[in-house]
Amino acid sequence: DTAVSQTPKYLVTQMGNDKSIKCEQNLGHDTMYWYKQDSKKFLKIMFSYNNKELIINETVPNRFSPKSPDKAHLNLHINSLELGDSAVYFCASSPGGPGENYEQYFGPGTRLTVT
Amino acid sequence: ELKVEQNPLFLSMQEGKNYTIYCNYSTTSDRLYWYRQDPGKSLESLFVLLSNGAVKQEGRLMASLDTKARLSTLHITAAVHDLSATYFCAVDRTSYGKLTFGQGTILTVHP
């Protein structure tokens, strides 16, 4: 009964490949997010969807594309992987809604290593 | 651009001692969150502070928010080893959960 789950947990791939990370939440939340945590543990938001609509789209390379088939799922597809993409990617969800509490619940993370 | 700064970035404490982690942010906001991250693990929500003067306590941790000073504090009372982790504050100055995180404070509690 994991609240926010991600697959895979580890992903090792070569430069130039395309890969996807999947995220699912069973909390009934309306808003989902993708974050990147670099080697220095710095966390930066990448994208957010509210009810399948993109609401946050930070300055990330076009090679990163989020997709939300429904409000319980938010996937991240990465094209032409580069060494600098190596990081831990966290998915999160929150109840959301304008003016509401946006306390975010994080998934276990996906450690991506590009060689 | 919103900047969130924590200090100290590294904190080595003895068990039983008290200490405070500070979180300063650069622009007006009344939504601040504290998270804990254990090595190799996910982030766990600790406190949600949504108004000036908000104070929340859980066990040996107490968080407060002063929106006028743009400052939040996380106070640790009588530290125990289990509190060793990285602590992040995060500020939201939007109305849709766009969090800006501090750099994190690595706390080590030793006997």
Side-chain angles (χ1 to χ4, degrees):
Chain A
D1 59 345
T2 305
V4 183
S5 59
Q6 293 178 231
T7 54
K9 191 167 173 58
Y10 299 97
L11 186 51
V12 181
T13 187
Q14 290 185 325
M15 283 175 56
N17 284 348
D18 303 338
K19 290 292 178 187
S20 291
I21 307 172
K22 296 187 175 182
C23 178
E24 176 180 1
Q25 55 97 1
N26 63 7
L27 297 167
H29 289 168
D30 286 339
T31 310
M32 296 183 72
Y33 310 80
W34 278 112
Y35 287 88
K36 178 180 180 179
Q37 186 172 45
D38 64 22
S39 58
K40 294 183 179 174
K41 306 297 182 194
F42 185 67
L43 275 151
K44 187 163 168 49
I45 193 166
M46 301 172 70
F47 303 103
S48 175
Y49 272 75
N50 179 271
N51 263 322
K52 301 195 295 177
E53 181 185 346
L54 181 65
I55 57 170
I56 298 173
N57 186 1
E58 288 297 279
T59 308
V60 299
N62 290 340
R63 300 180 294 103
F64 289 80
S65 55
K67 282 191 172 52
S68 182
D70 54 61
K71 75 172 195 176
H73 296 85
L74 179 61
N75 303 323
L76 183 65
H77 188 76
I78 316 168
N79 288 328
S80 304
L81 278 153
E82 300 177 358
L83 292 176
D85 298 332
S86 295
V88 180
Y89 292 85
F90 285 100
C91 175
S93 73
S94 71
E100 292 179 19
N101 171 9
Y102 277 90
E103 180 182 13
Q104 294 177 24
Y105 297 79
F106 284 77
T110 296
R111 182 174 294 277
L112 171 65
T113 304
V114 182
T115 60
Chain B
E1 182 190 344
L2 173 61
K3 289 193 187 331
V4 181
E5 293 188 350
Q6 291 180 229
N7 74 83
L9 299 184
F10 300 92
L11 179 53
S12 181
M13 294 178 66
Q14 270 193 309
E15 281 191 328
K17 298 292 187 185
N18 304 334
Y19 210 84
T20 300
I21 299 170
Y22 297 89
C23 174
N24 290 90
Y25 53 98
S26 61
T27 55
T28 305
S29 173
D30 58 1
R31 297 166 186 268
L32 192 136
Y33 305 83
W34 283 96
Y35 289 88
R36 168 183 171 144
Q37 185 178 35
D38 291 308
K41 302 290 187 184
S42 184
L43 282 87
E44 173 193 355
S45 178
L46 293 175
F47 298 108
V48 178
L49 304 169
L50 298 178
S51 61
N52 186 37
V55 178
K56 297 270 183 83
Q57 182 160 6
E58 180 74 34
R60 300 174 189 274
L61 300 178
M62 183 172 72
S64 66
L65 178 61
D66 181 343
T67 59
K68 293 191 171 95
R70 297 177 191 164
L71 171 68
S72 179
T73 60
L74 180 66
H75 187 72
I76 303 153
T77 302
V80 293
H81 180 70
D82 284 354
L83 290 178
S84 297
T86 300
Y87 293 84
F88 291 95
C89 64
V91 177
D92 178 11
R93 64 181 298 264
T94 66
S95 61
Y96 44 87
K98 181 179 170 181
L99 296 187
T100 300
F101 279 80
Q103 313 98 306
T105 296
I106 300 174
L107 170 65
T108 305
V109 181
H110 49 87

